[in-house]
Amino acid sequence: MKYGSIAAGDKTTVNAAMEILKDGGNAFDAAVCAVFTSMTSEYTLTGACGGGVMLAYPKESEPIVFDFFVHTPEIQSVKNLDFFRIAVDFGPATQFFHIGKGSVAVPGNTIGLLHIHSRLGSLPLSRILEPAIRTAKSGAIINNAHEYLFKILDPILSHTKTGEILFKPNGKRIKAGERFSNPDFANFLEQIIVEGSNFIYNGDLTENIDDFMGNGGLLTRKDLSNYEVIERTPLKIDFKGKTIITNPMPSPGGTLIAFALKIISLKFPEEEIDNRLLTLVMRLVQTARSEIISAKNKKNSLAEILSPSYFKRYLDLFDSKISVKLNKEKPGSGSTTHISIIDSQGNAASVTTTNGEGCGYIIPGTGIMMNNILGEEDLNLDGFHNWETTKRMETMMSPTIVIGDLGPELVLGSGGSNRIRSAITQVILNKFTKNMNLDEAIQAPRIHLEENIIHCESGINTKKLNFPWLTIHHWHEKNLFFGGVNAVTPTNAVGDTRRSGYGLVR
């Protein structure tokens, strides 16, 4: 390849990143550009006031996890907290979300991306943001997945008059093939070129957000000014002669992926993992997480499941027919998007971001809808607004890189809430144990275990899944429920068709 491999959730996002690589930027420049561009082209999935995680692999340097996920605000008493439930119609089922100003966590996306640029970027920020600014001004052509998301999230997007004007410019919802533009967001991007992250975290916009959120919200100027990007050492495991690096604790996603792959490598070193065995592995992962969650007041204790003593116990439990009591995992919507990049120099970036479903309110003059992550049930297992001290919120986001003798061989990640870990695990197994090519590994039908229900895409042979404790739920087509894995190798790039993903190699 002359420039690099890029996969993301939308063609506009990918083309913006490739423009930066062609102009001499590295993978990190391209990733920052792509995420800011996706805030228009994939508006329903990410935003400047959401949160994310990047796993960066600078060639000939140590990999770094940049944690810029959302943080809880300081606890305060709000008499009339603007926090309410809203129904979203998915067709076969209705799911409820909590939105309002009281659902807004302290955002990290903007400061996180600018921090990464300052640490690893090579081109000026003004050049990196050119495609994102252009896209916000002239618009991005909406794909099928995002037409669907505009439709089902309409009660949130159109909660205010500002939203009605932005998302229904002609009085009608935007359809696939039409353009969505956000000129106010272009102005915001132009301003951060001048002021950097201070504009939103310690500047004029901070005051505006503080004033706007003061009526029913928890987020304050102090919360914004105290926010910090955290650099972490990635979690590393060996698997089939490769080194897999991913997101460590305090977020559970990467640890649960590592646990599953380690169980497989120890229990079935030479066997091909069929869906029957994979279901048992998923059950073991679910059991391990449930038992750790049940042990109260043990900070970061999930990391213990990778210790030798825990491993022996769970390996012994693998074939057990004992009924295991599980803590229920809350179903999440998966309003998340992912970008994977390898450049021609061997640098790699894997970055996942989200805005939740959005809180329903747009900060005046910016085109930015704030996140609703304080209202996500699957991320607030102890109940809403129930933290004792401010903390970085947990996330299933698991940007992952598989490294071989010559460097990154596979860069991947996924949107999809609880399904992130099962989607990434299956793609890695397909690629490195079943020898599928990248497209086959991503498009192959998937399974996902939630409690004692195994969700199966069309094409899965369910006759082998005849466990007495298991209920099978058939999906008759590929669905965005099962995640959206966007992945690259040095020679290939594939976006997940479940979420209208797109890949490009040049």
Side-chain angles (χ1 to χ4, degrees), residues 319-331:
D319 298 310
S320 170
K321 293 181 173 57
I322 299 171
S323 177
V324 180
K325 184 179 179 182
L326 299 171
N327 280 346
K328 183 176 181 181
E329 289 190 275
K330 300 289 186 181

Side-chain angles (χ1 to χ4, degrees), residues 118-156:
S118 68
R119 288 273 278 106
L120 300 175
S122 61
L123 293 181
L125 184 63
S126 57
R127 175 64 188 103
I128 288 170
L129 292 184
E130 272 182 32
I133 292 169
R134 186 173 64 243
T135 300
K137 285 180 177 178
S138 63
I141 296 175
I142 297 304
N143 63 32
N144 291 328
H146 290 93
E147 177 188 351
Y148 173 71
L149 289 165
F150 274 133
K151 177 183 177 182
I152 64 171
L153 296 177
D154 181 64
I156 298 173

Side-chain angles (χ1 to χ4, degrees), residues 38-78:
S38 71
M39 293 171 185
T40 300
S41 60
E42 303 172 56
Y43 189 103
T44 58
L45 299 178
T46 189
C49 286
V53 182
M54 179 191 277
L55 172 56
Y57 181 95
K59 188 177 182 184
E60 298 178 353
S61 184
E62 289 299 309
I64 310 164
V65 169
F66 294 95
D67 177 351
F68 49 98
F69 196 57
V70 298
H71 208 83
T72 58
E74 285 193 0
I75 289 290
Q76 56 173 308
S77 176
V78 177

Side-chain angles (χ1 to χ4, degrees), residues 2-293:
K2 186 176 181 181
Y3 302 110
S5 307
I6 306 167
D10 181 80
K11 186 174 183 178
T12 301
T13 306
V14 171
N15 286 339
M18 186 59 75
E19 179 181 327
I20 295 302
L21 291 185
K22 287 182 175 180
D23 204 30
N26 61 28
F28 315 111
D29 293 319
V32 170
C33 168
V35 177
F36 275 118
T37 302
S38 71
M39 293 171 185
T40 300
S41 60
E42 303 172 56
Y43 189 103
T44 58
L45 299 178
T46 189
C49 286
V53 182
M54 179 191 277
L55 172 56
Y57 181 95
K59 188 177 182 184
E60 298 178 353
S61 184
E62 289 299 309
I64 310 164
V65 169
F66 294 95
D67 177 351
F68 49 98
F69 196 57
V70 298
H71 208 83
T72 58
E74 285 193 0
I75 289 290
Q76 56 173 308
S77 176
V78 177
K79 287 184 178 180
N80 298 307
L81 189 67
D82 182 32
F83 186 79
F84 55 96
R85 195 171 80 156
I86 195 166
V88 172
D89 182 7
F90 281 83
T94 297
Q95 191 169 343
F96 293 95
F97 299 100
H98 290 80
I99 66 169
K101 295 178 183 179
S103 70
V104 181
V106 188
N109 271 348
T110 297
I111 193 171
L113 294 168
L114 296 185
H115 176 85
I116 291 163
H117 171 255
S118 68
R119 288 273 278 106
L120 300 175
S122 61
L123 293 181
L125 184 63
S126 57
R127 175 64 188 103
I128 288 170
L129 292 184
E130 272 182 32
I133 292 169
R134 186 173 64 243
T135 300
K137 285 180 177 178
S138 63
I141 296 175
I142 297 304
N143 63 32
N144 291 328
H146 290 93
E147 177 188 351
Y148 173 71
L149 289 165
F150 274 133
K151 177 183 177 182
I152 64 171
L153 296 177
D154 181 64
I156 298 173
L157 299 174
S158 301
H159 177 63
T160 64
K161 185 66 176 176
T162 306
E164 281 272 358
I165 294 169
L166 182 58
F167 300 110
K168 297 177 180 175
N170 299 310
K172 295 180 180 179
R173 242 187 346 258
I174 298 169
K175 305 281 188 170
E178 296 177 349
R179 285 186 179 270
F180 168 68
S181 61
N182 192 353
D184 283 347
F185 183 58
N187 295 336
F188 166 82
L189 293 174
E190 288 173 340
Q191 197 62 38
I192 65 172
I193 291 173
V194 178
E195 297 187 42
S197 61
N198 276 339
F199 177 54
I200 188 169
Y201 291 88
N202 283 289
D204 292 341
L205 186 57
T206 321
E207 293 286 355
N208 293 344
I209 293 173
D210 187 67
D211 290 342
F212 188 71
M213 300 301 295
N215 181 21
L218 295 168
L219 181 66
T220 66
R221 178 189 178 99
K222 183 179 178 183
D223 293 317
L224 288 164
S225 63
N226 286 342
Y227 185 92
E228 293 182 342
V229 179
I230 301 172
E231 295 187 13
R232 305 188 192 277
T233 301
L235 173 62
K236 295 184 181 183
I237 64 161
D238 295 325
F239 183 75
K240 302 290 183 182
K242 313 293 182 185
T243 299
I244 296 177
I245 58 175
T246 188
N247 195 16
M249 291 300 292
S251 293
T255 298
L256 294 172
I257 291 169
F259 180 76
L261 293 175
K262 198 169 180 182
I263 287 285
I264 289 167
S265 64
L266 290 175
K267 189 77 177 176
F268 309 104
E270 304 299 331
E271 268 184 80
E272 182 175 308
I273 305 300
D274 62 15
N275 286 321
R276 181 180 177 83
L277 291 178
L278 184 57
T279 299
L280 291 173
V281 171
M282 288 179 172
R283 180 177 183 241
L284 208 61
V285 172
Q286 196 170 247
T287 303
R289 186 187 186 210
S290 185
E291 289 187 352
I292 293 293
I293 288 173

